[in-house]
Amino acid sequence: LSNTEYENAISFFTKSSQKIPSNRDPYLLRAISIVRYAMHKPIKPKTKTKMLKDAKRDLNKAMTNSAKDYQVLYLRGLVNFALHFFYDAISDLETVIEKSEEASAKHYLARGRCYACLSMFKEAITDLTIAINLNKDLLDAYLNRGKCAYLIGDTGLAFMDFQKLIVIEPKNPMVHIYAGNLLMTTGSYEDATKAFTNADNIHKSSLALY
């Protein structure tokens, strides 16, 4: 896995699962190998979906062998999210959040993203705010909360989040584009132009044309 030899890893863990079928580790590690292959290799969308479903099947088997392993349940929630099974993902993540001994920013971020994909923006903002309170440097939480705030018309929160993103990742052109779009909607055309110019200076993009 560390050398990105995912096919060899999948083959190895398949053999391991056949030798020790009651052990959760071969299924868990094969699922991780499959997901990494699906997400990082250039494959067709249908093939990717099939592989993610195979990974979910392995995680189900791992859960059977270790029912109270909430790390496995968290990973299944992420796979459900990747498959666009958002309600299933929320169900998994709710259990993880309830049963975990300590609050984790990544758990709230994952559930917040699910809510956002279901257009449940207020619920998403609540979870993403908790994630940010737990980890002030969590880039994805600011990005997703800013988008949700923008979509419900909370321009103050959206602007605050995009400003924070610019501080955290000043070389990310998309951050400046999001800020520019927001400034356009509030009538701050001069500042929006500056934001788009900053994005274009970092990386030429048709999204930064104005």
Side-chain angles (χ1 to χ4, degrees):
L1 277 176
S2 59
N3 295 323
T4 68
E5 296 178 1
Y6 303 127
E7 290 171 297
N8 289 338
I10 292 168
S11 176
F12 175 81
F13 294 127
T14 297
K15 293 175 182 176
S16 297
S17 67
Q18 293 168 350
K19 292 182 179 179
I20 44 175
S22 61
N23 189 302
R24 68 135 215 189
D25 290 346
Y27 298 108
L28 172 60
L29 293 170
R30 184 170 64 182
I32 293 172
S33 303
I34 291 171
V35 169
R36 289 184 179 177
Y37 185 98
M39 302 305 291
H40 297 295
K41 297 291 185 179
I43 56 178
K44 295 179 180 179
K46 286 185 178 180
T47 304
K48 179 179 177 180
T49 298
K50 181 183 180 304
M51 292 189 74
L52 290 174
K53 287 181 177 179
D54 288 343
K56 182 179 177 179
R57 179 201 63 207
D58 276 352
L59 291 172
N60 288 340
K61 289 181 179 178
M63 287 294 297
T64 300
N65 294 336
S66 184
K68 294 185 178 181
D69 191 328
Y70 300 115
Q71 179 61 21
V72 176
L73 189 59
Y74 167 69
L75 293 174
R76 192 176 71 178
L78 296 183
V79 172
N80 275 324
F81 176 83
L83 287 166
H84 295 183
F85 298 162
F86 300 123
Y87 288 107
D88 289 342
I90 288 171
S91 178
D92 285 344
L93 294 166
E94 280 182 348
T95 301
V96 172
I97 289 169
E98 289 173 5
K99 300 296 185 180
S100 295
E101 294 182 0
E102 294 185 6
S104 170
K106 67 180 183 180
H107 296 162
Y108 285 97
L109 170 61
R111 190 173 67 175
R113 292 175 65 197
C114 293
Y115 283 134
C117 289
L118 292 169
S119 298
M120 299 169 68
F121 300 124
K122 290 183 178 180
E123 292 85 351
I125 288 172
T126 297
D127 269 4
L128 295 167
T129 299
I130 294 172
I132 288 168
N133 289 337
L134 291 168
N135 183 350
K136 300 294 185 184
D137 296 320
L138 195 57
L139 178 70
D140 283 347
Y142 289 105
L143 176 60
N144 284 280
R145 190 176 71 172
K147 289 180 180 179
C148 291
Y150 175 80
L151 289 169
I152 64 172
D154 189 342
T155 55
L157 179 58
F159 186 74
M160 183 179 72
D161 282 346
F162 292 139
Q163 284 290 97
K164 181 67 174 180
L165 283 169
I166 290 171
V167 172
I168 296 175
E169 280 213 354
K171 298 299 183 181
N172 185 336
M174 290 307 301
V175 168
H176 295 277
I177 291 170
Y178 288 132
N181 289 337
L182 174 63
L183 290 164
M184 287 287 286
T185 64
T186 60
S188 303
Y189 301 118
E190 186 175 343
D191 289 335
T193 299
K194 290 178 182 178
F196 290 135
T197 300
N198 288 336
D200 200 48
N201 288 338
I202 295 168
H203 181 73
K204 297 294 181 182
S205 170
S206 61
L207 294 173
L209 295 177
Y210 46 89

XYZ file of all heavy atoms in Angstrom, residues 6 10-11 13-14 17 24-39 43-63 72 75-76 78-80 82-83 85:
427
model
N -1.420 -1.025 -5.624
C -2.745 -1.398 -5.127
C -3.204 -2.762 -5.633
O -3.835 -3.525 -4.898
C -3.755 -0.322 -5.523
C -3.393 1.053 -5.021
C -3.333 2.141 -5.884
C -3.089 1.270 -3.680
C -2.989 3.406 -5.419
C -2.747 2.532 -3.213
C -2.700 3.592 -4.097
O -2.354 4.836 -3.632
N -4.348 -5.772 -3.279
C -5.673 -6.394 -3.355
C -5.542 -7.906 -3.454
O -6.251 -8.658 -2.781
C -6.464 -5.830 -4.561
C -6.824 -4.360 -4.318
C -7.740 -6.638 -4.802
C -7.336 -3.638 -5.545
N -4.622 -8.363 -4.296
C -4.396 -9.797 -4.456
C -3.918 -10.435 -3.153
O -4.402 -11.505 -2.756
C -3.357 -10.037 -5.560
O -3.055 -11.408 -5.673
N -4.344 -9.369 -0.003
C -5.361 -9.377 1.053
C -6.531 -10.303 0.708
O -7.215 -10.798 1.611
C -5.842 -7.962 1.340
C -4.780 -7.075 1.933
C -4.472 -5.845 1.362
C -4.065 -7.482 3.057
C -3.484 -5.044 1.906
C -3.071 -6.680 3.605
C -2.773 -5.458 3.021
N -6.732 -10.563 -0.581
C -7.735 -11.552 -0.985
C -7.320 -12.938 -0.500
O -8.127 -13.685 0.070
C -7.912 -11.563 -2.509
O -8.409 -10.285 -2.933
C -8.900 -12.645 -2.950
N -7.686 -13.126 3.281
C -9.072 -13.277 3.744
C -9.553 -14.714 3.594
O -10.400 -15.179 4.358
C -9.995 -12.328 2.964
O -10.088 -12.704 1.602
N -10.941 -9.509 10.783
C -11.422 -8.304 10.101
C -10.350 -7.640 9.240
O -10.651 -6.984 8.248
C -11.938 -7.281 11.094
C -10.872 -6.672 11.982
C -10.972 -5.161 12.121
N -9.634 -4.620 12.210
C -9.359 -3.373 12.513
N -10.304 -2.517 12.771
N -8.121 -2.951 12.562
N -9.055 -7.814 9.594
C -7.989 -7.037 8.955
C -7.864 -7.240 7.442
O -7.716 -6.258 6.703
C -6.650 -7.315 9.636
C -6.592 -6.721 11.037
O -7.470 -5.894 11.364
O -5.673 -7.081 11.804
N -7.880 -8.488 6.932
C -7.754 -8.644 5.476
C -8.861 -7.926 4.698
O -8.604 -7.328 3.656
C -7.827 -10.161 5.277
C -7.396 -10.737 6.574
C -7.914 -9.791 7.609
N -10.091 -7.966 5.235
C -11.208 -7.300 4.562
C -11.043 -5.784 4.617
O -11.273 -5.081 3.623
C -12.534 -7.709 5.207
C -12.824 -9.184 5.090
C -12.737 -10.021 6.200
C -13.188 -9.751 3.870
C -12.991 -11.384 6.099
C -13.449 -11.113 3.758
C -13.350 -11.913 4.876
O -13.612 -13.268 4.762
N -10.641 -5.290 5.791
C -10.441 -3.852 5.945
C -9.336 -3.353 5.023
O -9.506 -2.351 4.306
C -10.093 -3.531 7.404
C -9.656 -2.092 7.701
C -10.742 -1.098 7.322
C -9.251 -1.946 9.160
N -8.212 -4.055 5.014
C -7.071 -3.618 4.214
C -7.337 -3.773 2.716
O -6.876 -2.952 1.914
C -5.822 -4.393 4.632
C -5.346 -4.082 6.058
C -4.262 -5.060 6.487
C -4.839 -2.650 6.153
N -8.085 -4.817 2.340
C -8.444 -4.947 0.925
C -9.380 -3.810 0.519
O -9.247 -3.241 -0.581
C -9.099 -6.305 0.639
C -9.396 -6.505 -0.860
C -9.806 -7.922 -1.174
N -11.071 -8.292 -0.531
C -11.623 -9.499 -0.619
N -11.006 -10.462 -1.304
N -12.760 -9.763 -0.001
N -10.314 -3.453 1.387
C -11.221 -2.345 1.092
C -10.448 -1.046 0.895
O -10.718 -0.282 -0.048
C -12.238 -2.188 2.222
N -9.477 -0.789 1.769
C -8.655 0.420 1.642
C -7.884 0.408 0.330
O -7.803 1.425 -0.373
C -7.696 0.544 2.843
C -8.499 0.811 4.125
C -6.676 1.652 2.611
C -7.671 0.753 5.392
N -7.337 -0.755 -0.033
C -6.598 -0.888 -1.292
C -7.498 -0.616 -2.493
O -7.110 0.080 -3.445
C -6.001 -2.295 -1.412
O -5.177 -2.604 -0.325
N -8.710 -1.165 -2.443
C -9.662 -0.983 -3.549
C -10.045 0.486 -3.680
O -10.089 1.041 -4.791
C -10.914 -1.855 -3.325
C -10.558 -3.336 -3.466
C -12.018 -1.481 -4.318
C -11.675 -4.287 -3.047
N -10.327 1.132 -2.553
C -10.728 2.544 -2.589
C -9.599 3.412 -3.143
O -9.832 4.289 -3.990
C -11.135 3.038 -1.183
C -11.298 4.555 -1.169
C -12.433 2.373 -0.747
N -8.390 3.169 -2.688
C -7.256 3.967 -3.182
C -7.048 3.751 -4.669
O -6.754 4.707 -5.416
C -5.990 3.614 -2.398
C -6.015 4.129 -0.969
C -4.709 3.859 -0.252
N -4.743 4.378 1.110
C -3.744 4.231 1.977
N -2.641 3.595 1.626
N -3.856 4.731 3.197
N -7.200 2.521 -5.121
C -7.086 2.240 -6.558
C -8.177 2.992 -7.318
O -7.906 3.649 -8.331
C -7.220 0.738 -6.805
C -6.998 0.334 -8.253
C -5.762 -0.147 -8.663
C -8.015 0.441 -9.199
C -5.551 -0.510 -9.986
C -7.811 0.094 -10.522
C -6.571 -0.388 -10.910
O -6.362 -0.732 -12.220
N -9.409 2.910 -6.820
C -10.543 3.530 -7.508
C -10.416 5.050 -7.568
O -10.821 5.680 -8.553
C -11.848 3.140 -6.813
N -9.840 5.642 -6.514
C -9.780 7.097 -6.442
C -8.559 7.687 -7.138
O -8.577 8.856 -7.532
C -9.796 7.549 -4.978
C -11.017 7.072 -4.181
S -12.611 7.506 -4.919
C -12.603 9.288 -4.689
N -9.698 5.265 -14.290
C -10.613 4.184 -14.662
C -11.971 4.783 -15.031
O -12.289 5.919 -14.683
C -10.787 3.156 -13.518
C -11.266 3.841 -12.231
C -9.477 2.413 -13.273
C -11.508 2.897 -11.078
N -12.783 3.988 -15.726
C -14.104 4.453 -16.149
C -15.026 4.604 -14.936
O -14.886 3.884 -13.943
C -14.712 3.457 -17.138
C -13.941 3.343 -18.452
C -14.578 2.321 -19.373
C -13.816 2.212 -20.693
N -14.420 1.197 -21.595
N -15.988 5.543 -15.010
C -16.904 5.767 -13.886
C -17.630 4.507 -13.426
O -17.793 4.290 -12.219
C -17.890 6.805 -14.438
C -17.104 7.553 -15.468
C -16.204 6.528 -16.092
N -18.077 3.663 -14.370
C -18.792 2.442 -13.986
C -17.876 1.491 -13.232
O -18.295 0.842 -12.266
C -19.373 1.758 -15.225
C -20.597 2.454 -15.809
C -21.189 1.650 -16.947
C -22.450 2.313 -17.499
N -23.049 1.530 -18.617
N -16.629 1.413 -13.669
C -15.647 0.560 -12.991
C -15.365 1.092 -11.592
O -15.271 0.322 -10.619
C -14.338 0.493 -13.792
O -14.614 0.033 -15.116
C -13.331 -0.439 -13.130
N -15.260 2.400 -11.479
C -15.027 3.026 -10.174
C -16.169 2.718 -9.215
O -15.932 2.342 -8.058
C -14.868 4.535 -10.352
C -14.648 5.291 -9.050
C -14.483 6.781 -9.327
C -14.334 7.565 -8.039
N -14.164 9.014 -8.294
N -17.396 2.860 -9.708
C -18.569 2.581 -8.863
C -18.576 1.134 -8.403
O -18.841 0.837 -7.225
C -19.869 2.899 -9.628
O -19.891 4.289 -9.944
C -21.097 2.549 -8.791
N -18.276 0.213 -9.329
C -18.243 -1.207 -8.985
C -17.186 -1.479 -7.915
O -17.428 -2.229 -6.955
C -17.967 -2.062 -10.218
C -17.949 -3.572 -9.923
C -17.602 -4.379 -11.149
C -17.600 -5.883 -10.830
N -16.684 -6.227 -9.714
N -16.013 -0.864 -8.065
C -14.943 -1.090 -7.094
C -15.319 -0.536 -5.716
O -15.035 -1.161 -4.686
C -13.646 -0.447 -7.594
C -13.066 -1.116 -8.827
S -11.407 -0.526 -9.258
C -10.430 -1.317 -7.973
N -15.967 0.611 -5.696
C -16.390 1.177 -4.415
C -17.433 0.289 -3.740
O -17.427 0.136 -2.515
C -16.937 2.587 -4.620
C -15.891 3.654 -4.986
C -16.579 4.972 -5.317
C -14.880 3.849 -3.857
N -18.310 -0.309 -4.542
C -19.297 -1.240 -3.981
C -18.605 -2.496 -3.445
O -19.018 -3.038 -2.407
C -20.338 -1.603 -5.040
C -21.309 -0.467 -5.339
C -22.349 -0.869 -6.382
C -23.348 0.250 -6.616
N -24.352 -0.092 -7.645
N -17.555 -2.936 -4.139
C -16.772 -4.075 -3.636
C -16.109 -3.724 -2.303
O -16.057 -4.547 -1.379
C -15.693 -4.468 -4.656
C -16.272 -5.143 -5.899
O -17.435 -5.603 -5.844
O -15.558 -5.201 -6.917
N -15.600 -2.496 -2.206
C -14.970 -2.053 -0.963
C -15.997 -2.008 0.167
O -15.703 -2.419 1.297
C -14.345 -0.672 -1.164
N -17.194 -1.532 -0.137
C -18.241 -1.501 0.882
C -18.591 -2.917 1.343
O -18.798 -3.150 2.544
C -19.488 -0.804 0.333
C -20.607 -0.701 1.358
C -21.827 0.020 0.812
C -22.956 0.039 1.819
N -24.157 0.756 1.333
N -18.640 -3.850 0.418
C -18.915 -5.248 0.776
C -17.844 -5.762 1.739
O -18.159 -6.426 2.741
C -18.934 -6.105 -0.496
C -19.178 -7.596 -0.271
C -18.684 -8.382 -1.464
N -17.239 -8.230 -1.628
C -16.608 -8.347 -2.799
N -17.261 -8.614 -3.900
N -15.291 -8.189 -2.855
N -16.582 -5.437 1.466
C -15.502 -5.867 2.356
C -15.622 -5.218 3.730
O -15.370 -5.863 4.762
C -14.145 -5.524 1.737
C -13.668 -6.586 0.757
O -14.309 -7.645 0.673
O -12.660 -6.348 0.068
N -15.999 -3.956 3.755
C -16.159 -3.277 5.044
C -17.320 -3.872 5.839
O -17.262 -3.956 7.066
C -16.367 -1.778 4.823
C -15.131 -1.030 4.295
C -15.493 0.398 3.913
C -13.998 -1.044 5.316
N -18.349 -4.293 5.124
C -19.460 -4.986 5.804
C -18.968 -6.271 6.462
O -19.353 -6.597 7.590
C -20.578 -5.304 4.808
C -21.346 -4.066 4.383
O -21.322 -3.039 5.054
N -22.029 -4.163 3.254
N -18.103 -7.011 5.749
C -17.548 -8.243 6.307
C -16.634 -7.935 7.494
O -16.635 -8.667 8.498
C -16.778 -9.007 5.227
C -17.675 -9.629 4.162
C -16.856 -10.395 3.138
C -17.752 -11.046 2.091
N -16.973 -11.763 1.053
N -15.860 -6.875 7.372
C -14.995 -6.478 8.486
C -15.824 -6.122 9.717
O -15.471 -6.458 10.851
C -14.119 -5.290 8.068
N -16.970 -5.451 9.482
C -17.865 -5.100 10.585
C -18.466 -6.347 11.222
O -18.653 -6.409 12.437
C -18.985 -4.190 10.079
C -18.561 -2.765 9.756
S -18.052 -1.835 11.219
C -19.589 -1.813 12.154
N -13.870 1.338 11.235
C -14.377 0.667 10.036
C -15.695 1.303 9.605
O -15.941 1.543 8.420
C -14.563 -0.846 10.272
C -15.179 -1.508 9.036
C -13.225 -1.506 10.596
N -15.056 4.552 7.869
C -14.601 4.328 6.499
C -15.763 3.938 5.593
O -15.845 4.370 4.438
C -13.513 3.256 6.474
C -12.183 3.640 7.142
C -11.246 2.434 7.179
C -11.525 4.797 6.405
N -16.694 3.122 6.125
C -17.861 2.761 5.320
C -18.709 3.998 5.029
O -19.267 4.139 3.940
C -18.693 1.692 6.028
C -19.760 1.084 5.097
C -20.529 -0.038 5.762
N -21.436 0.458 6.800
C -22.248 -0.324 7.514
N -22.227 -1.646 7.328
N -23.036 0.185 8.434
N -17.546 6.988 4.570
C -16.860 7.696 3.488
C -17.115 7.031 2.139
O -17.292 7.712 1.122
C -15.353 7.754 3.766
C -14.907 8.532 5.005
C -13.390 8.557 5.085
C -15.459 9.951 5.010
N -17.139 5.690 2.131
C -17.420 4.970 0.884
C -18.861 5.226 0.443
O -19.131 5.447 -0.743
C -17.146 3.468 1.042
C -17.626 2.686 -0.180
C -15.650 3.215 1.262
N -19.790 5.224 1.386
C -21.182 5.540 1.056
C -21.288 6.946 0.468
O -22.053 7.179 -0.478
C -22.064 5.424 2.305
C -22.528 4.002 2.561
O -22.802 3.250 1.636
N -22.608 3.622 3.826
N -18.917 8.516 -1.206
C -18.347 8.450 -2.554
C -19.319 7.816 -3.546
O -19.322 8.148 -4.736
C -17.032 7.672 -2.526
N -20.171 6.912 -3.055
C -21.185 6.266 -3.892
C -22.468 7.105 -4.010
O -23.412 6.707 -4.687
C -21.538 4.894 -3.310
C -20.489 3.794 -3.478
C -20.809 2.617 -2.580
C -20.417 3.336 -4.941
N -24.518 7.591 -1.631
C -25.525 7.029 -0.723
C -25.511 7.884 0.544
O -25.071 7.457 1.617
C -25.205 5.572 -0.386
C -25.193 4.637 -1.570
C -24.559 3.405 -1.477
C -25.820 4.964 -2.765
C -24.545 2.515 -2.557
C -25.812 4.088 -3.848
C -25.175 2.864 -3.741
